[in-house]
Amino acid sequence: MTAESLRSVTVERIGPGLFTATNARGGTITFSTGSGEGFTPVELLLAAIGGCSAADVEVATSRHAEPAVFSVDVSGHKVQDEGGGNLMTDLEVAFTVGFPEGEGGDRARAILPRAVKTSHDKLCTVSRTVEAGAPVVTKVVG
C-alpha cells in the first residue's frame, strides 16, 4: 500500500444522532441516524454505489452527447442475518438515461449498456468493494 492509494474521511459527532464526515480536501457531508431530513449511513452507502457508477457512465457517454435525462436509482433491503446482525441485500442500480436525437446521441445510446457493465465489472470501486466483501477492521484508539 502507498500514500497515493490511501483514501480517508474523519467522522465527528456534532450533536445527538448527527455527524459530519470530512475528507482530506476539506469537503464535508452531514448525516444522521434517521431523524429529520439528513441521510442515514445506509442511504450514504446507496448514494456512494450510485454516484460511483453514475460518474463512470457519465464520463463514457457524455463525450458523445449531453444527456437529456440522467438518473440512477439505487435500492436494497436492510435485513438481519441469522445471527441478528444488520446488512443490506438485493442491491440494485437502475439507470434511466436519455440522449438527444442525432449522431452523438446515437453513439451515446449505443455505448450506454457497455458503460454500465464496465462500471460494474471493473471501474466502480464502491460496488466492487461491496461485492468483494472487503474486511473492515475496527479499533479503539483513545
PDB file of all heavy atoms in Angstrom, residues 6-9 22-28:
ATOM      1  N   LEU A   6      -4.126   5.599  -0.439  1.00  0.00           N
ATOM      2  CA  LEU A   6      -4.913   5.796   0.771  1.00  0.00           C
ATOM      3  C   LEU A   6      -6.052   6.786   0.538  1.00  0.00           C
ATOM      4  O   LEU A   6      -5.854   7.868  -0.019  1.00  0.00           O
ATOM      5  CB  LEU A   6      -4.020   6.304   1.910  1.00  0.00           C
ATOM      6  CG  LEU A   6      -4.728   6.538   3.245  1.00  0.00           C
ATOM      7  CD1 LEU A   6      -5.258   5.222   3.804  1.00  0.00           C
ATOM      8  CD2 LEU A   6      -3.793   7.207   4.228  1.00  0.00           C
ATOM      9  N   ARG A   7      -7.230   6.417   0.967  1.00  0.00           N
ATOM     10  CA  ARG A   7      -8.399   7.300   0.989  1.00  0.00           C
ATOM     11  C   ARG A   7      -8.904   7.296   2.420  1.00  0.00           C
ATOM     12  O   ARG A   7      -8.914   6.259   3.080  1.00  0.00           O
ATOM     13  CB  ARG A   7      -9.521   6.797   0.063  1.00  0.00           C
ATOM     14  CG  ARG A   7      -9.104   6.596  -1.391  1.00  0.00           C
ATOM     15  CD  ARG A   7      -8.759   7.921  -2.057  1.00  0.00           C
ATOM     16  NE  ARG A   7      -8.516   7.775  -3.467  1.00  0.00           N
ATOM     17  CZ  ARG A   7      -7.330   7.529  -4.016  1.00  0.00           C
ATOM     18  NH1 ARG A   7      -6.263   7.386  -3.255  1.00  0.00           N
ATOM     19  NH2 ARG A   7      -7.185   7.427  -5.307  1.00  0.00           N
ATOM     20  N   SER A   8      -9.344   8.458   2.910  1.00  0.00           N
ATOM     21  CA  SER A   8      -9.833   8.502   4.285  1.00  0.00           C
ATOM     22  C   SER A   8     -10.813   9.642   4.475  1.00  0.00           C
ATOM     23  O   SER A   8     -10.810  10.622   3.720  1.00  0.00           O
ATOM     24  CB  SER A   8      -8.664   8.660   5.263  1.00  0.00           C
ATOM     25  OG  SER A   8      -8.068   9.935   5.112  1.00  0.00           O
ATOM     26  N   VAL A   9     -11.663   9.482   5.481  1.00  0.00           N
ATOM     27  CA  VAL A   9     -12.537  10.539   5.957  1.00  0.00           C
ATOM     28  C   VAL A   9     -12.499  10.498   7.477  1.00  0.00           C
ATOM     29  O   VAL A   9     -12.168   9.471   8.071  1.00  0.00           O
ATOM     30  CB  VAL A   9     -14.001  10.402   5.462  1.00  0.00           C
ATOM     31  CG1 VAL A   9     -14.087  10.492   3.950  1.00  0.00           C
ATOM     32  CG2 VAL A   9     -14.641   9.134   5.961  1.00  0.00           C
ATOM     33  N   THR A  22     -15.622  14.536   7.013  1.00  0.00           N
ATOM     34  CA  THR A  22     -14.752  15.485   6.323  1.00  0.00           C
ATOM     35  C   THR A  22     -13.686  14.712   5.576  1.00  0.00           C
ATOM     36  O   THR A  22     -13.052  13.813   6.142  1.00  0.00           O
ATOM     37  CB  THR A  22     -14.075  16.445   7.325  1.00  0.00           C
ATOM     38  OG1 THR A  22     -15.096  17.100   8.093  1.00  0.00           O
ATOM     39  CG2 THR A  22     -13.224  17.480   6.614  1.00  0.00           C
ATOM     40  N   ASN A  23     -13.492  15.046   4.295  1.00  0.00           N
ATOM     41  CA  ASN A  23     -12.454  14.364   3.508  1.00  0.00           C
ATOM     42  C   ASN A  23     -11.144  15.151   3.568  1.00  0.00           C
ATOM     43  O   ASN A  23     -11.085  16.254   4.124  1.00  0.00           O
ATOM     44  CB  ASN A  23     -12.917  14.103   2.069  1.00  0.00           C
ATOM     45  CG  ASN A  23     -13.135  15.368   1.272  1.00  0.00           C
ATOM     46  OD1 ASN A  23     -12.600  16.426   1.562  1.00  0.00           O
ATOM     47  ND2 ASN A  23     -13.942  15.263   0.221  1.00  0.00           N
ATOM     48  N   ALA A  24     -10.120  14.588   2.974  1.00  0.00           N
ATOM     49  CA  ALA A  24      -8.781  15.198   3.012  1.00  0.00           C
ATOM     50  C   ALA A  24      -8.728  16.535   2.275  1.00  0.00           C
ATOM     51  O   ALA A  24      -7.839  17.346   2.530  1.00  0.00           O
ATOM     52  CB  ALA A  24      -7.758  14.235   2.410  1.00  0.00           C
ATOM     53  N   ARG A  25      -9.678  16.792   1.371  1.00  0.00           N
ATOM     54  CA  ARG A  25      -9.708  18.044   0.620  1.00  0.00           C
ATOM     55  C   ARG A  25     -10.549  19.109   1.312  1.00  0.00           C
ATOM     56  O   ARG A  25     -10.704  20.211   0.813  1.00  0.00           O
ATOM     57  CB  ARG A  25     -10.231  17.787  -0.795  1.00  0.00           C
ATOM     58  CG  ARG A  25      -9.328  16.874  -1.614  1.00  0.00           C
ATOM     59  CD  ARG A  25      -9.929  16.494  -2.963  1.00  0.00           C
ATOM     60  NE  ARG A  25     -11.289  15.983  -2.914  1.00  0.00           N
ATOM     61  CZ  ARG A  25     -11.644  14.757  -2.520  1.00  0.00           C
ATOM     62  NH1 ARG A  25     -10.735  13.894  -2.120  1.00  0.00           N
ATOM     63  NH2 ARG A  25     -12.904  14.372  -2.515  1.00  0.00           N
ATOM     64  N   GLY A  26     -11.135  18.770   2.487  1.00  0.00           N
ATOM     65  CA  GLY A  26     -11.923  19.727   3.251  1.00  0.00           C
ATOM     66  C   GLY A  26     -13.410  19.690   2.972  1.00  0.00           C
ATOM     67  O   GLY A  26     -14.174  20.447   3.566  1.00  0.00           O
ATOM     68  N   GLY A  27     -13.841  18.816   2.074  1.00  0.00           N
ATOM     69  CA  GLY A  27     -15.264  18.681   1.801  1.00  0.00           C
ATOM     70  C   GLY A  27     -15.976  18.027   2.971  1.00  0.00           C
ATOM     71  O   GLY A  27     -15.400  17.189   3.672  1.00  0.00           O
ATOM     72  N   THR A  28     -17.229  18.407   3.201  1.00  0.00           N
ATOM     73  CA  THR A  28     -17.987  17.831   4.304  1.00  0.00           C
ATOM     74  C   THR A  28     -19.361  17.367   3.846  1.00  0.00           C
ATOM     75  O   THR A  28     -19.913  17.876   2.865  1.00  0.00           O
ATOM     76  CB  THR A  28     -18.175  18.840   5.452  1.00  0.00           C
ATOM     77  OG1 THR A  28     -18.937  19.951   4.970  1.00  0.00           O
ATOM     78  CG2 THR A  28     -16.849  19.317   6.008  1.00  0.00           C
TER      79      THR A  28
END
